[in-house]
């Protein structure tokens, strides 16, 4: 069982853990003596917290910086203890550590009492969905084991936790330094009749096993093999929940593509497994070859599916140096997906220390907790965090730094998205030419359109597009081929490799300009998906987009206007495209 131990800096959580390890005999042989000797040599008083401080910075500053894990066993079961930093500057690391926990122990200094961070930590556990918690009121020796002090802290903190729907199993008075309340009690606290910390750990209920939940397999990558006739295409990733066997029907979300498990792959084993389960990093081959992308989630058709969509309501804890603001592009990492995301609405912002809330804010400040609506540029597959936390938690990345984390509360109905709003605003404000579209059609004997040639990267699309351009130009058409390399070196030169969505947006805007001028624009796009085709069409509207797919058909919901499985005979393909353009009145012979 994973248990996170958190508390305000210097409230003694590392000492609680160190004492727990020492008193249960869980330390490596000689470790305790080694630390004592180091302290003696450096003329430092021995502290049990030193048993955990793996980082040099922590020893020099006396605070926990990063989450550390240690292992121990009681008579009941095995534990992984997550020592999460409590200092406000390292809350990000605390969240990262706590996200792995199934139960939590909050530590409060009896002398200092409930601090702002104590409240913040309680809220974070609540936000992460960790409901099995207990509170250790440590350093009772500093208040002379005064029961009134203990009771006062219990009353104050319990009232706070209940407001955020956290109900601690028990409050335990302790003096970790002296070993009281950890695995036993002394007469100093004879007024307390409850369990010690170790007994509290053993009382935590094990949550439902992940293997019993629906299958969730975020796709990390697809590996292809070609050596010696090996044509396997292995879908690789880690099973977050559930299990799957060969022969079972599966579906990939959000694309909705379906297949069946042909094999479970394993390296260097004599007998291939036929089953894979929670926690395994593994790979599968499928009975039929479908095009899927990293970031999709594989589920079993017999299981309840993930939600899919571009809008969802979420709770966010913001840690960024700068506020999270509306209409700024961020990155979200959810399950295996990594997509652009925008803050669309801020419903409430909560001060985690006072629990005072404010509505209708335009931004989320550092260390604020907010309920908000997020919108991604592409549909994502996710779960409600209270149902399946593994695919319901996410982090927000701002300028290459993790700046926030949160959980999905519910998916929002699909409303008017950012792209639609942008197109409407653009068209309303567009300064239209005095030359009507019909006049251009009559002058050029053609209807303007974007001819978008898609397909795998090595399908020969660029060569085909140039030959198509030359063919149309030689027959008197107003046509232009927009090379991808030209845009990369020109208008897209400020974009990095991870900005394909922005590249798609700019391609849509460029095609809108060319088509508005009456030209036929030919462009190519590799490995484009349904959303990207739809985005280009929407940005190019009200002009037409003719989608020509070369080679393997990889679209699912969006249909190609023309599919050419084999592009090797260029002249035949060009004639086919010309016939399609003529048949659909893009190439007009006579205009009346």
């Amino acid at each position: 069982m994973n248990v996170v131990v958190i508390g305000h800096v210097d409230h003694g959580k590392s000492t609680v853990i160190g004492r727990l390890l020492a008193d249960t005999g869980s330390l490596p042989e000689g470790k305790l003596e080694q630390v004592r000797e180091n302290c003696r040599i450096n003329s430092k008083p021995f502290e049990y917290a030193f048993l955990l401080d793996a980082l040099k910075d922590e020893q020099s500053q006396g605070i926990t910086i990063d989450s550390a894990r240690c292992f121990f066993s009681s008579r009941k079961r095995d534990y992984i203890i997550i020592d999460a930093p409590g200092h406000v500057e390292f809350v990000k690391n605390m969240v990262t550590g706590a996200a792995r926990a199934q139960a939590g122990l909050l530590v409060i200094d009896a002398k200092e009492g409930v601090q702002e961070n104590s409240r913040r930590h309680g809220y974070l556990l609540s936000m992460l969905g960790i409901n099995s918690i207990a509170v250790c009121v440590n350093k009772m020796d500093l208040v002379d084991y005064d029961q009134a002090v203990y009771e006062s802290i219990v009353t104050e903190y319990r009232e706070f936790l209940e407001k955020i729907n956290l109900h601690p199993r028990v409050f335990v008075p302790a003096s970790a330094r002296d070993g009281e309340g950890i695995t036993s009690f002394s007469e100093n606290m004879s007024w307390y009749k409850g369990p010690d910390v170790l007994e509290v750990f053993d009382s935590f209920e094990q949550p439902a096993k992940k293997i019993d939940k629906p299958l969730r397999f975020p796709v990390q990558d697809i590996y292809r093999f070609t050596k010696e006739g090996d044509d396997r295409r292995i879908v690789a990733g880690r099973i977050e929940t559930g299990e799957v066997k060969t022969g079972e029907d599966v579906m990939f979300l959000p694309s909705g593509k379906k297949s069946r498990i042909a094999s479970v792959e394993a390296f260097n084993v004599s007998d291939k497994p036929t089953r894979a389960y929670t926690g395994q990093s593994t790979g599968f081959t499928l009975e039929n070859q479908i095009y899927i992308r990293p970031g999709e989630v594989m589920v079993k058709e017999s299981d309840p599916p993930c939600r899919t969509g571009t809008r969802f309501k979420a709770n966010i804890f913001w840690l960024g140096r700068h506020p999270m603001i509306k209409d700024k592009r961020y990155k979200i990492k959810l399950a295996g997906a990594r997509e652009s995301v925008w803050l669309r609405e801020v419903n409430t912002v909560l001060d985690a220390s006072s629990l005072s809330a404010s509505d209708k804010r335009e931004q989320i400040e550092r260390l604020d907790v907010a309920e908000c609506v997020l919108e991604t540029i592409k549909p994502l597959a996710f779960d409600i965090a209270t149902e399946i936390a593994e695919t319901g938690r996410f982090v927000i990345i701002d300028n290459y730094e993790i700046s926030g984390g949160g959980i999905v509360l519910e998916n929002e109905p699909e409303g008017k998205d950012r792209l639609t709003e942008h197109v409407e605003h653009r068209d309303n404000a567009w300064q239209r030419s005095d030359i009507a579209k019909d006049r251009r059609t009559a002058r050029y004997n053609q209807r303007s359109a974007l001819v978008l040639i898609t397909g795998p990267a090595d399908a020969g699309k660029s060569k085909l597009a140039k030959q198509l351009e030359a063919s149309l130009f030689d027959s008197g058409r107003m046509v232009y081929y927009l090379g991808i390399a030209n845009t990369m070196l020109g208008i897209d030169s400020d974009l990095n490799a991870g900005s394909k969505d922005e590249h798609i947006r700019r391609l849509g805007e460029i095609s809108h300009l060319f088509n508005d001028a009456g030209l036929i624009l030919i462009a190519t796009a590799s490995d484009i998906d349904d959303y990207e085709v739809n985005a280009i069409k929407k940005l190019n509207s009200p002009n037409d987009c003719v989608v020509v797919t070369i080679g393997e058909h990889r679209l699912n919901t969006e249909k190609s206007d023309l599919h050419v499985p084999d592009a090797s005979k260029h002249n035949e393909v060009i004639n086919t495209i010309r016939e399609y353009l003529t048949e659909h009145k893009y190439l007009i012979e006579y205009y009346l």
Side-chain angles (χ1 to χ4, degrees):
M1 185 177 209
N2 296 348
V3 183
V4 62
V5 180
I6 57 176
H8 186 60
V9 64
D10 287 337
H11 278 205
K13 58 183 173 40
S14 294
T15 305
V16 169
I17 300 171
R19 193 81 207 202
L20 197 59
L21 296 177
D23 290 358
T24 56
S26 302
L27 293 170
E29 186 176 350
K31 179 73 173 178
L32 184 61
E33 293 72 19
Q34 175 193 345
V35 174
R36 285 186 187 280
E37 180 62 14
N38 286 341
C39 290
R40 188 191 67 77
I41 293 172
N42 293 288
S43 301
K44 292 172 59 177
F46 169 77
E47 294 183 22
Y48 281 89
F50 293 162
L51 294 168
L52 307 197
D53 290 338
L55 299 177
K56 291 181 179 179
D57 284 345
E58 293 181 38
Q59 291 196 16
S60 62
Q61 297 181 32
I63 59 175
T64 303
I65 294 174
D66 205 350
S67 294
R69 296 195 298 171
C70 54
F71 307 86
F72 85 97
S73 301
S74 71
R75 292 181 178 176
K76 182 176 181 179
R77 62 188 165 204
D78 298 330
Y79 291 95
I80 296 175
I81 302 296
I82 303 166
D83 179 20
H87 196 277
V88 68
E89 295 301 322
F90 308 117
V91 172
K92 186 189 301 183
N93 298 342
M94 193 278 282
V95 174
T96 305
R100 306 187 187 102
Q102 298 161 317
L105 180 71
L106 291 149
V107 178
I108 294 179
D109 187 317
K111 190 174 182 179
E112 292 190 2
V114 178
Q115 299 293 301
E116 179 179 331
N117 252 4
S118 309
R119 297 186 178 92
R120 186 171 286 124
H121 293 157
Y123 195 88
L124 285 172
L125 290 187
S126 171
M127 196 188 74
L128 291 170
I130 301 171
N131 297 316
S132 294
I133 66 163
V135 181
C136 175
V137 182
N138 190 30
K139 301 188 182 182
M140 286 298 297
D141 53 299
L142 299 183
V143 295
D144 296 328
Y145 304 99
D146 188 338
Q147 183 179 0
V149 173
Y150 165 78
E151 296 291 352
S152 174
I153 291 173
V154 170
T155 301
E156 179 185 355
Y157 203 40
R158 189 188 293 279
E159 286 179 358
F160 173 84
L161 293 176
E162 288 183 350
K163 286 180 183 176
I164 56 176
N165 202 30
L166 269 185
H167 306 285
R169 183 173 299 276
V170 67
F171 283 71
V172 183
S175 172
R177 188 194 66 176
D178 299 328
E180 295 177 282
I182 305 301
T183 58
S184 63
F185 280 97
S186 70
E187 289 300 316
N188 290 325
M189 289 182 281
S190 58
W191 42 265
Y192 176 78
K193 304 300 181 186
D196 56 38
V197 170
L198 183 60
E199 290 170 330
V200 169
F201 273 41
D202 283 344
S203 71
F204 285 136
E205 295 174 4
Q206 193 80 27
K209 293 180 179 177
K210 294 180 181 179
I211 198 171
D212 295 330
K213 296 181 180 179
L215 175 70
R216 296 294 185 259
F217 178 77
V219 177
Q220 293 178 0
D221 212 338
I222 293 90
Y223 299 110
R224 298 173 184 174
F225 296 82
T226 57
K227 188 176 180 181
E228 298 178 353
D230 187 353
D231 60 352
R232 287 177 300 164
R233 182 184 290 185
I234 296 178
V235 183
R238 182 178 185 275
I239 299 179
E240 296 294 342
T241 59
E243 61 177 337
V244 66
K245 299 190 286 281
T246 54
E248 289 193 295
D249 293 325
V250 294
M251 178 167 56
F252 293 85
L253 296 173
S255 71
K257 294 181 180 178
K258 298 178 181 179
S259 188
R260 181 173 295 163
I261 300 292
S263 68
V264 179
E265 296 296 317
F267 180 70
N268 203 24
V269 295
S270 54
D271 297 321
K272 267 193 175 181
T274 58
R275 168 179 171 265
Y277 47 86
T278 299
Q280 282 189 315
S281 295
T282 185
F284 304 97
T285 60
L286 305 173
E287 285 194 358
N288 57 320
Q289 298 302 325
I290 56 175
Y291 179 68
I292 52 177
R293 289 186 157 198
E296 297 205 57
V297 178
M298 185 177 81
V299 304
K300 284 198 289 193
E301 283 200 66
S302 56
D303 283 343
C306 298
R307 272 81 165 175
T308 59
T310 58
R311 291 167 65 95
F312 55 86
K313 186 183 292 182
N315 268 350
I316 278 185
F317 189 86
W318 189 248
L319 304 163
R321 298 176 188 174
H322 306 291
M324 187 182 191
I325 59 177
K326 286 185 177 179
D327 296 325
K328 179 184 174 184
R329 180 193 298 263
Y330 297 94
K331 288 282 185 185
I332 186 170
K333 189 172 184 304
L334 196 164
R338 191 184 182 102
E339 292 292 348
S340 297
V341 67
W342 285 264
L343 175 65
R344 293 286 280 167
E345 297 174 26
V346 182
N347 296 338
T348 55
V349 176
L350 192 69
D351 184 325
S353 61
S354 66
L355 283 190
S356 60
S358 56
D359 298 330
K360 303 304 176 189
R361 291 252 295 268
E362 293 298 311
Q363 61 186 36
I364 304 172
E365 304 287 346
R366 177 175 165 79
L367 301 184
D368 275 348
V369 180
E371 182 191 291
C372 57
V373 176
L374 299 177
E375 181 181 319
T376 54
I377 196 164
K378 290 183 180 180
L380 293 181
F382 54 83
D383 284 289
I384 307 302
T386 52
E387 298 172 356
I388 303 180
E390 288 75 11
T391 43
R393 295 172 178 168
F394 60 85
V395 296
I396 303 290
I397 300 167
D398 181 20
N399 197 23
Y400 304 104
E401 286 190 357
I402 293 177
S403 298
I407 59 172
V408 178
L409 299 177
E410 58 185 82
N411 51 338
E412 285 275 296
E414 297 293 337
K416 186 182 294 184
D417 58 27
R418 290 184 73 259
L419 200 59
T420 302
E421 287 181 359
H422 164 75
V423 171
E424 288 180 356
H425 175 73
R426 182 196 68 187
D427 290 348
N428 288 335
W430 193 262
Q431 295 189 23
R432 289 175 172 76
S433 169
D434 291 338
I435 304 172
K437 189 172 184 177
D438 286 350
R439 292 181 61 195
R440 294 184 194 275
T441 302
R443 169 70 66 85
Y444 301 148
N445 279 338
Q446 64 183 38
R447 279 199 299 136
S448 63
L450 167 66
V451 179
L452 183 65
I453 302 178
T454 72
D458 55 354
K461 301 185 297 299
S462 296
K463 185 177 180 181
L464 181 68
K466 289 178 183 177
Q467 291 179 351
L468 176 62
E469 180 198 27
S471 172
L472 292 175
F473 182 81
D474 290 343
S475 61
R477 306 300 177 178
M478 304 293 286
V479 61
Y480 185 74
Y481 163 63
L482 179 65
I484 290 296
N486 298 344
T487 63
M488 292 295 185
L489 294 171
I491 195 170
D492 290 342
S493 61
D494 60 322
L495 300 181
N496 56 39
S499 305
K500 188 177 181 183
D501 53 322
E502 177 61 13
H503 171 75
I504 292 293
R505 189 191 71 78
R506 295 183 185 185
L507 176 58
E509 295 287 6
I510 293 171
S511 64
H512 181 260
L513 289 172
F514 272 82
N515 288 174
D516 196 50
L519 275 68
I520 294 174
L521 180 69
I522 304 171
T524 59
S526 298
D527 297 330
I528 199 166
D529 64 19
D530 294 282
Y531 166 80
E532 290 161 343
V533 170
N534 180 264
I536 291 173
K537 285 182 176 179
K538 191 176 290 186
L539 287 160
N540 190 42
S541 64
N543 306 301
D544 289 346
C545 176
V546 178
V547 179
V548 179
T549 298
I550 304 296
E552 182 185 6
H553 195 284
R554 296 179 170 182
L555 301 178
N556 191 33
T557 57
E558 292 287 335
K559 303 302 180 188
S560 298
D561 297 289
L562 201 58
H563 180 211
V564 182
D566 182 7
S568 58
K569 299 178 179 177
H570 281 192
N571 289 337
E572 291 183 14
V573 176
I574 289 169
N575 287 335
T576 301
I577 297 175
R578 287 187 62 116
E579 287 171 5
Y580 179 90
L581 295 176
T582 303
E583 181 183 348
H584 291 80
K585 312 299 184 190
Y586 293 103
L587 305 181
I588 304 170
E589 298 301 330
Y590 301 100
Y591 190 84
L592 300 178

